[in-house]
Amino acid sequence: MRKGTFELAILLLLKRKPMYGYEITKHLQEESTFPIADGSIYPILKRMSTNQWVYSYKEEHEGRSRKYYDVTDLGGKVLEARWEEFTNVYAFLDQLKK
Amino acid sequence: MLQSIEQYINELDLKLKGLPKDEREHHLAEIRDHLLERMEEGDPEARVVQSFMAPDKMSEEILQEYRQRNAQTFEHPNYWFVLAAISVIAPFGALALPIIQENYYAGPQFAVLLQLLIGSVALFGYFRKKLNEERVAILKKMGRLMIPILALPFGFFSFSIIRTEEWSSFNFIYLLLYLLVWLIYYISLRKVYQSSIA
């Protein structure tokens, strides 16, 4: 569940604009809901690349090669499916609470 | 305890030896960029390194993903690498045949040369940056096979002299050319091996 939520959050972030690993980590760390340890984003991004949910490309930045990630078409579909699943779970829990 | 980014990168590099070289370099470059950016934002280097995921844990997760990815592929992960290495080494057996035939038949040898060419492009081009621990071990074994293969041209050369009771200038020149090509390949294989373990 937690792993899936991280992936969903990453897909949502990348849907806004391509980002690099540290940038994604900073955005996630801003929210206390996602206390992601520094560095643990990379195995997740690698797994998402292998699943072809995201793709990466390199850009030069101040003499360093920086790896950016963006969402693939498949990643977009996964995002929609996961979002629907997530809202359904949330709606169900909300109903239980009442 | 790790104090600097370079220490962290060196330790992670050692622990990721199971990954192909190019993949390992991509991971290291990305992580180095992350650590440097944190430092540029004002965090002390030692704190940046110590608060980052430990090299043990990082390598474990990366290697686990790599193993899972390999397990999903139909072929053995090193199938094409072994094929490329065999395509470079096996032709040296067939290339010795003209010595015993005392003639060079271009037709049959063309297929052998084509195999050598394709194998060379694959091994020294495509796979050069994709070496991991397993592939380096395979390369070492294959490279060592190059030496006993030399028994073939010398054996054929001697056999030809015994059979005809005279020196053949064709055989002598061909043997020299063979040895030259063999030496180039042997040194190239050794260089690829040495650069991969450096």
Side-chain angles (χ1 to χ4, degrees), chain B residues 2-194:
Chain B
L2 295 168
Q3 296 293 327
S4 73
I5 292 174
E6 280 319 300
Q7 277 178 346
Y8 182 95
I9 295 294
N10 289 341
E11 192 165 332
L12 187 61
D13 187 22
L14 277 176
K15 290 181 187 301
L16 288 179
K17 285 285 181 197
L19 280 186
K21 193 177 179 186
D22 57 347
E23 197 170 330
R24 192 167 76 234
E25 283 172 353
H26 286 157
H27 280 296
L28 296 176
E30 188 172 37
I31 289 167
R32 182 187 275 114
D33 181 54
H34 184 123
L35 297 170
L36 284 173
E37 187 159 349
R38 269 197 61 191
M39 219 175 90
E40 283 161 9
E41 287 181 355
D43 279 347
E45 188 171 9
R47 194 164 70 192
V48 168
V49 171
Q50 285 157 20
S51 63
F52 202 74
M53 186 186 258
D56 279 343
K57 176 96 175 118
M58 179 67 85
S59 58
E60 190 188 309
E61 293 212 13
I62 291 173
L63 289 171
Q64 189 185 14
E65 188 280 330
Y66 175 69
R67 283 191 286 266
Q68 278 173 356
R69 191 166 12 120
N70 274 338
Q72 285 164 4
T73 54
F74 178 70
E75 291 99 357
H76 186 274
N78 295 316
Y79 176 81
W80 293 106
F81 179 77
V82 171
L83 196 65
I86 289 173
S87 298
V88 166
I89 291 153
F92 282 93
L95 284 172
L97 286 174
I99 298 175
I100 204 161
Q101 293 166 331
E102 292 188 33
N103 206 337
Y104 186 82
Y105 297 104
Q109 288 292 325
F110 175 74
V112 176
L113 288 174
L114 189 66
Q115 185 189 8
L116 182 64
L117 180 72
I118 294 171
S120 305
V121 170
L123 192 66
F124 300 117
Y126 180 74
F127 284 114
R128 195 186 172 95
K129 284 270 178 183
K130 296 184 187 301
L131 295 172
N132 57 16
E133 267 181 9
E134 279 179 52
R135 286 177 181 171
V136 168
I138 293 167
L139 190 72
K140 192 174 178 179
K141 279 182 195 163
M142 294 284 185
R144 284 176 174 175
L145 272 180
M146 288 285 284
I147 295 167
I149 281 178
L150 271 185
L152 284 174
F154 281 110
F156 291 161
F157 187 68
S158 307
F159 182 73
S160 166
I161 293 171
I162 293 165
R163 196 180 59 184
T164 59
E165 293 181 354
E166 60 183 26
W167 277 72
S168 154
S169 53
F170 166 82
N171 273 2
F172 184 67
I173 294 166
Y174 189 87
L175 181 65
L176 287 180
L177 280 172
Y178 181 99
L179 289 176
L180 180 69
V181 176
W182 180 93
L183 195 64
I184 292 168
Y185 270 85
Y186 185 74
I187 291 171
S188 305
L189 280 172
R190 206 166 63 169
K191 273 192 172 178
V192 172
Y193 174 75
Q194 283 170 340

Side-chain angles (χ1 to χ4, degrees), chain A:
Chain A
M1 179 70 185
R2 190 167 185 83
K3 193 176 80 180
T5 318
F6 273 121
E7 288 167 353
L8 178 62
I10 292 168
L11 286 171
L12 283 167
L13 276 174
L14 296 180
K15 190 87 178 155
R16 288 193 214 159
K17 65 168 185 142
M19 290 185 193
Y20 55 95
Y22 180 55
E23 200 178 3
I24 300 170
T25 304
K26 272 205 297 188
H27 273 94
L28 293 177
Q29 283 175 341
E30 279 167 12
E31 290 294 327
S32 56
T33 326
F34 291 98
I36 188 164
D38 210 17
S40 54
I41 192 83
Y42 296 105
I44 302 174
L45 285 170
K46 184 68 195 170
R47 193 169 51 242
M48 291 171 77
S49 299
T50 304
N51 291 340
Q52 298 182 340
W53 298 352
V54 298
Y55 68 94
S56 60
Y57 58 91
K58 288 187 174 176
E59 262 182 27
E60 283 296 312
H61 176 80
E62 293 176 359
R64 293 207 299 265
S65 177
R66 180 162 281 168
K67 194 172 173 183
Y68 283 86
Y69 294 88
D70 201 353
V71 185
T72 61
D73 289 343
L74 178 63
K77 285 174 190 160
V78 170
L79 171 60
E80 282 172 29
R82 288 270 175 102
W83 183 252
E84 197 182 327
E85 199 181 309
F86 180 79
T87 47
N88 286 343
V89 171
Y90 180 80
F92 176 69
L93 292 174
D94 196 45
Q95 213 174 22
L96 285 181
K97 195 184 162 197
K98 285 171 190 169

